Amino acid sequence: MARQMDPESASVSGGLRMNFYTTTLCLAYQSLGIVYGDLSISPIYVYKSTFSGGMQLYEEDLEILGVLSMVFWTLTLIPLCKYIFFVLAADDNGEGGTFALYSSLCRHSRMGLLNTVDPAHERLSSCRSETSKDTRMSLLIKEFFEKHKSSRIVLVLVVFLGTGMVIGDGILTPTMSVLSAVNGIKVKVPHLHENYTVLIACTILVSLFALQHYGTHRVGFLFAPIMTAWLLCISGVGIYNIFRWNPGVICALSPHYIYKFFEKTGRAGWSSLGGIVLCLTGTEAMFADLGHFSKLSIRVAFSGLVYPCLVLAYMGEAAYLSKHRMDLHRSFFKAIPEDVFWPVLIIATLASVVGSQAIISATFSIVSQCRGLRCFPRVKIKHTSNQIHGQIYIPEVNWILMVLCLAVVIGFRDTNMIGNAYGLAAVTVMFITTCLMFLIISTVWKKNVLLAFLFVVIFGSLELLYISACLSKVHKGGWLPLLFAVVILSLMSIWNYGTVKKDAFELQNKVSLDRLLSSGPSLGITRVPGICLVYSNVASGVPPMFAHFVTNFPAFHHTLIFVTLKSLMVPKVPVDERFVVNRVGPPELLIFRCIVRYGYKDVRDCYEFETQLIEEVAEFLKQEAHSKEMAVREKSPNCMFAAVGNEVSIASSEQLRNKIKGGSVECQEVNELKEAREAGVAYMMGNTHVVASDLSPFLKKFAIDIVYGFLRRNCRRPAIALQIPHTSLIEVGMLYQV
């Protein structure tokens, strides 16, 4: 007989379910303003861009309905099927984006080139993965990447290319969306000179970038209502146009119209795919912004509101165009009923700003991730919110984006040419995601390789079709995202190469502590009061710059802490697992090593870093002292702990934590540490200058001496990035030829 649920338990369970549903709906509502801004404003320019060039000769009902059918099935296959059902499931501990896929691959196999998980870090909870049996093909793929370093290089270059395209989106999205919305004024003021629309667009863009330093949290509460109003407007106008002009437009949802479209238009129809692909712009944001929301909330928002509203908007526009073919080049604004034109135009302009804000914030986020993995020059990162650590502002990136946006608007002026560039950037990122998903399905999920291959065939073939159409318009603006991507890829690769070579120099030239101490009497090394934090990338042994310093100035502080900052291929490292403290050498030397581990999305709070570090060392000393005390008690025959067995070790561990938190465990070394801190804290860092050797080829000299040297001189210095006081800094210069 089934047991009845207790009324109180049923009430609690119902309350939890209600709270879960409420939270999900709230997140879904908020995602409308952050995730779907770019995707939702695409109806402004899709038909206009599609019926340009050779398609101006094909403006009959068949072509209009064929374009609608292509838009419908593209929205259904890529955002709905690919991203909502598959890609969102490939999150990396709740984080999404190109780096999240790469991070997941690195942790589950040896495909990583940027960073790998050290054996000492495998106890990290973020690095643990579910162990399941590998398939034969997954083992073959993993072995291929492990044996061939060139394959790992290609993989990381593909990730860099995707990153470059996303940053390129940060330039093209504001220009395309704002300029397209402003051009709607010409519907009512047809004689308005082009210079005025460009001036208005530039003014909006300058205002948008000038407000970035306030942070999105100050104006973020407006984003979701604006996008909700926008989606309801375009869907309402779409329903009105369907019933007013051509209810039969619903027949275009049949894929048969796609066949008829290409049968009639041929090459011109294939070329028009460069305009149709604009209906996908912003799709990648559903995955890239996953860390701010939940998978369910993003799925609910898209399936329940965004997708049906977009479909209705495109259907209504096609219904209007079927009766007003002369309005194809300003179809969106022409299709708006006269009575609501100006309100919709204002909402469209606001929506374009919201869509631009979303990609700008995403650009800040991805630059921060790249910087965390040491493949982007050091830049100033300002946190604009005390509650949400992901909301950041990067001044250098912000002003560079603004200058490039203004240059594109003033230089191109034509939204068709900007659209050619925009579409190529968007669909390239999607294709890179598809390729990475092949590896995820086969090696991480360990599914049959045929399923992974089928995924690539279905979605990758469609994306390649769009890419081929966009590449045919390289000479008409499509070269712009390629230029952006190549420049950013080159900068990231050169910076990462120079950084890796500098780290290799430190590892190759590190010295053992015994060797350094054995030469102590001959050097006459003395100890001075205080604490010295020695920053380096060496996780074992003595950094070469410290040995170089002691050799020339035979003295160092009473307490010495070697600090190594490690960037791991995980999104975030739990705070209680961030610091790993060990003792170096005999206890009387008071030398410690602290490895500080960060994920690529972790916020590095430099202001409290020194305090946290010294507190961790003090806690380590307390634990060490308590462990010695417990060891002595366990050896004593009269100790009451000896009779309790395994349960005592668990209890004593809990007692240890309570004592440490309460501050009851004290030892002489802790007191000495406090006295040393009161005497003063000094910071030592290496200033290794990397140059190309005389025998290096010209390309290597150009990359290292000119590009890397320029970036190194003009980016933020490590001491400034770590908020180290200039008066307490000791820099040790060294030269390394590669």
Side-chain angles (χ1 to χ4, degrees):
M1 183 175 179
R3 187 177 61 181
Q4 292 184 349
M5 181 179 291
D6 184 87
E8 185 176 348
S9 301
S11 177
V12 171
S13 176
L16 290 175
R17 282 198 302 268
M18 182 61 67
N19 185 46
F20 172 75
Y21 295 146
T22 304
T23 303
T24 300
L25 290 176
C26 183
L27 288 174
Y29 173 71
Q30 293 174 1
S31 70
L32 295 175
I34 302 299
V35 177
Y36 296 110
D38 191 8
L39 182 63
S40 299
I41 60 175
S42 55
I44 295 177
Y45 41 74
V46 167
Y47 280 101
K48 177 181 180 297
S49 299
T50 302
F51 287 97
S52 61
M55 280 297 293
Q56 293 180 0
L57 302 175
Y58 301 92
E59 298 179 352
E60 300 298 324
D61 283 1
L62 181 61
E63 292 83 1
I64 294 171
L65 297 182
V67 170
L68 172 61
S69 187
M70 282 289 292
V71 168
F72 171 76
W73 285 105
T74 300
L75 282 174
T76 302
L77 286 174
I78 303 297
L80 185 61
C81 295
K82 175 187 168 183
Y83 279 87
I84 292 297
F85 292 118
F86 292 101
V87 177
L88 286 181
D91 65 302
D92 182 28
N93 293 326
E95 299 293 338
T98 306
F99 269 108
L101 294 176
Y102 183 69
S103 167
S104 185
L105 289 171
C106 292
R107 274 206 323 282
H108 289 83
S109 62
R110 306 250 176 217
M111 297 183 189
L113 192 68
L114 290 181
N115 204 346
T116 56
V117 180
D118 298 331
H121 299 150
E122 296 207 352
R123 288 187 299 246
L124 189 67
S125 61
S126 302
C127 293
R128 296 185 192 128
S129 57
E130 295 181 2
T131 56
S132 58
K133 188 177 180 181
D134 284 288
T135 63
R136 182 170 174 271
M137 285 304 299
S138 69
L139 288 173
L140 289 176
I141 294 172
K142 290 180 180 179
E143 289 175 3
F144 176 80
F145 277 93
E146 289 176 14
K147 290 180 180 178
H148 301 87
K149 186 179 179 181
S150 58
S151 63
R152 301 198 298 274
I153 294 175
V154 170
L155 180 61
V156 77
L157 288 178
V158 168
V159 173
F160 284 172
L161 178 64
T163 303
M165 287 293 184
V166 172
I167 296 175
D169 265 352
I171 301 167
L172 296 172
T173 297
T175 57
M176 183 67 179
S177 56
V178 172
L179 190 57
S180 297
V182 171
N183 278 335
I185 301 175
K186 289 187 175 181
V187 173
K188 294 298 181 182
V189 190
H191 301 296
L192 184 67
H193 196 276
E194 184 184 57
N195 290 340
Y196 291 105
T197 58
V198 170
L199 179 61
I200 295 171
C202 289
T203 303
I204 294 174
L205 288 172
V206 170
S207 303
L208 174 64
F209 284 101
L211 293 173
Q212 290 301 310
H213 71 280
Y214 289 110
T216 55
H217 70 287
R218 298 187 185 274
V219 291
F221 68 95
L222 290 174
F223 287 4
I226 289 173
M227 293 315 303
T228 303
W230 168 250
L231 288 169
L232 294 177
C233 277
I234 60 175
S235 59
V237 171
I239 293 172
Y240 169 82
N241 286 327
I242 291 171
F243 287 100
R244 172 76 186 276
W245 302 112
N246 188 0
V249 77
I250 195 172
C251 298
L253 302 185
S254 169
H256 181 63
Y257 280 86
I258 299 176
Y259 171 77
K260 289 184 177 180
F261 172 78
F262 284 112
E263 184 182 39
K264 184 174 181 180
T265 58
R267 183 179 177 83
W270 167 74
S271 181
S272 71
L273 293 176
I276 296 174
V277 75
L278 294 178
C279 72
L280 294 175
T281 55
T283 299
E284 186 70 21
M286 286 194 292
F287 186 47
D289 292 331
L290 181 59
H292 298 284
F293 304 97
S294 65
K295 288 182 281 190
L296 181 59
S297 64
I298 290 179
R299 285 167 172 159
V300 167
F302 183 79
S303 305
L305 184 63
V306 178
Y307 176 73
C309 286
L310 288 176
V311 171
L312 289 173
Y314 286 116
M315 289 176 64
E317 197 171 342
Y320 175 85
L321 288 176
S322 65
K323 305 299 181 183
H324 304 83
R325 298 186 184 91
M326 72 294 296
D327 293 335
L328 272 169
H329 302 293
R330 281 201 180 89
S331 58
F332 178 81
F333 291 103
K334 285 284 189 178
I336 300 173
E338 186 73 23
D339 295 338
V340 296
F341 176 83
W342 289 108
V344 173
L345 177 63
I346 293 172
I347 295 175
T349 306
L350 293 174
S352 68
V353 172
V354 172
S356 303
Q357 177 63 58
I359 193 64
I360 292 170
S361 299
T363 303
F364 291 158
S365 178
I366 199 168
V367 168
S368 177
Q369 292 177 27
C370 296
R371 174 182 173 271
L373 292 173
R374 307 172 73 202
C375 52
F376 199 89
R378 291 179 296 273
V379 291
K380 181 179 181 179
I381 296 179
K382 179 182 177 182
H383 301 280
T384 60
S385 174
N386 294 326
Q387 288 78 30
I388 304 175
H389 291 301
Q391 293 186 358
I392 58 176
Y393 167 66
I394 305 177
E396 298 96 324
V397 175
N398 182 67
W399 300 122
I400 291 173
L401 285 178
M402 187 193 75
V403 171
L404 292 175
C405 282
L406 295 177
V408 172
V409 170
I410 297 171
F412 281 77
R413 295 173 178 254
D414 183 11
T415 53
N416 288 330
M417 293 188 68
I418 299 175
N420 294 335
Y422 192 21
L424 181 59
V427 74
T428 301
V429 176
M430 295 178 204
F431 182 68
I432 289 173
T433 299
T434 300
C435 295
L436 294 177
M437 280 297 297
F438 173 82
L439 297 174
I440 291 289
I441 294 172
S442 57
T443 63
V444 178
W445 294 352
K446 298 173 184 177
K447 302 295 183 182
N448 193 311
V449 72
L450 293 178
L451 293 176
F453 182 72
L454 186 64
F455 180 89
V456 174
V457 168
I458 294 174
F459 301 114
S461 58
L462 180 59
E463 290 160 351
L464 279 176
L465 184 65
Y466 281 122
I467 289 175
S468 66
C470 292
L471 289 175
S472 68
K473 298 182 179 181
V474 166
H475 61 290
K476 296 180 180 179
W479 55 270
L480 192 60
L482 296 177
L483 177 63
F484 288 150
V486 168
V487 170
I488 295 169
L489 184 149
S490 301
L491 292 178
M492 292 175 65
S493 301
I494 292 172
W495 180 263
N496 182 254
Y497 177 79
T499 304
V500 168
K501 289 298 181 182
K502 186 178 70 173
D503 294 348
F505 167 75
E506 291 188 358
L507 290 173
Q508 291 169 4
N509 293 275
K510 67 180 181 180
V511 297
S512 65
L513 182 64
D514 294 337
R515 179 183 172 187
L516 185 65
L517 294 176
S518 63
S519 59
S522 61
L523 294 174
I525 295 177
T526 59
R527 307 293 289 268
V528 296
I531 299 175
C532 183
L533 305 181
V534 183
Y535 287 88
S536 76
N537 294 306
V538 177
S540 62
V542 177
M545 59 91 177
F546 180 75
H548 181 64
F549 174 81
V550 172
T551 304
N552 291 274
F553 302 94
F556 57 88
H557 291 74
H558 175 269
T559 302
L560 202 63
I561 304 176
F562 293 112
V563 183
T564 302
L565 305 181
K566 283 284 184 182
S567 297
L568 305 183
M569 291 300 298
V570 295
K572 294 182 180 179
V573 174
V575 177
D576 58 341
E577 300 180 35
R578 178 158 295 153
F579 294 87
V580 178
V581 181
N582 292 301
R583 190 187 290 276
V584 179
E588 61 270 12
L589 292 178
L590 287 178
I591 301 178
F592 306 93
R593 183 182 311 282
C594 183
I595 298 176
V596 189
R597 304 176 293 187
Y598 290 100
Y600 57 82
K601 294 203 75 172
D602 270 326
V603 178
R604 304 190 181 190
D605 189 355
C606 302
Y607 296 100
E608 300 294 331
F609 179 76
E610 175 192 317
T611 302
Q612 293 175 359
L613 179 62
I614 296 176
E615 286 178 354
E616 289 291 333
V617 174
E619 185 175 339
F620 168 79
L621 292 174
K622 292 176 183 179
Q623 289 182 359
E624 190 179 60
H626 189 79
S627 298
K628 290 179 181 178
E629 181 184 347
M630 293 297 298
V632 172
R633 290 184 180 182
E634 287 175 358
K635 290 180 181 179
S636 173
N638 298 323
C639 182
M640 63 177 178
F641 294 102
V644 190
N646 292 333
E647 295 183 4
V648 166
S649 62
I650 299 173
S652 62
S653 175
E654 190 65 30
Q655 291 170 4
L656 171 61
R657 291 184 177 274
N658 294 332
K659 285 185 177 182
I660 290 174
K661 289 180 181 178
S664 60
V665 176
E666 283 292 344
C667 63
Q668 182 181 354
E669 287 183 314
V670 175
N671 294 328
E672 290 179 359
L673 182 67
K674 293 178 180 179
E675 293 174 1
R677 185 179 184 183
E678 291 175 357
V681 179
Y683 306 82
M684 184 180 295
M685 303 189 75
N687 188 4
T688 305
H689 187 50
V690 181
V691 296
S693 63
D694 295 334
L695 300 177
S696 299
F698 171 77
L699 189 60
K700 186 175 182 179
K701 288 182 178 180
F702 176 80
I704 296 297
D705 295 344
I706 298 178
V707 179
Y708 181 75
F710 174 82
L711 293 174
R712 184 176 175 274
R713 288 190 300 271
N714 290 277
C715 71
R716 300 190 85 209
R717 298 182 67 82
I720 297 175
L722 292 170
Q723 303 290 336
I724 293 176
H726 183 69
T727 54
S728 305
L729 176 64
I730 304 171
E731 279 195 305
V732 182
M734 301 190 76
L735 180 67
Y736 176 49
Q737 288 187 333
V738 296

